[in-house]
């Protein structure tokens, strides 16, 4: 599977509803996404220089997922945190697809 297809596959399977299984699923997706980011970063200087905002987005998503799993948070807050994390992750993936292009950009 090429990189763009792998990003699209992760996008398509990113859950939107908060529950214990979806927390595990989104954490797995985040790990795969980070692996893809590292792969893209290693392609050339263009990607290496432009990839850091995507890693920042991942950290924000991780923080929101963690908050969605906080036992002290209300169900509504957990749902909101998870939904925000899911949307932010999908937005990041869409932006990455535009940035990545065909994987051969150098300028």
């Amino acid at each position: 599977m090429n990189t763009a297809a792998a990003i699209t596959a992760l996008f398509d399977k990113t859950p939107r509803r908060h529950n214990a299984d979806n927390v595990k699923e989104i954490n797995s997706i985040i790990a795969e996404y980070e692996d893809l980011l590292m792969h893209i970063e290693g392609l050339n200087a263009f990607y290496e220089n432009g990839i850091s905002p995507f890693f920042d987005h991942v950290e924000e998503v991780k923080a929101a997922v963690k908050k969605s799993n906080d036992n002290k948070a209300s169900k509504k807050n957990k749902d909101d945190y998870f939904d925000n994390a899911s949307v932010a992750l999908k937005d990041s993936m869409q932006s990455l697809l535009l940035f990545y292009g065909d994987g051969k950009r150098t300028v």
Side-chain angles (χ1 to χ4, degrees), residues 22-68:
N22 284 350
V23 169
K24 290 177 189 171
E25 179 68 15
I26 203 167
N27 282 324
S28 172
I29 290 168
I30 290 167
E32 290 179 54
Y33 186 54
E34 285 180 308
D35 290 344
L36 287 170
L37 290 174
M38 287 185 276
H39 166 74
I40 292 168
E41 181 179 42
L43 292 176
N44 62 39
F46 172 81
Y47 292 109
E48 182 180 355
N49 292 332
I51 202 83
S52 65
F54 296 97
F55 284 106
D56 294 340
H57 294 154
V58 168
E59 292 307 314
E60 293 168 12
V61 169
K62 284 180 181 179
V65 170
K66 185 175 181 178
K67 287 180 182 179
S68 80

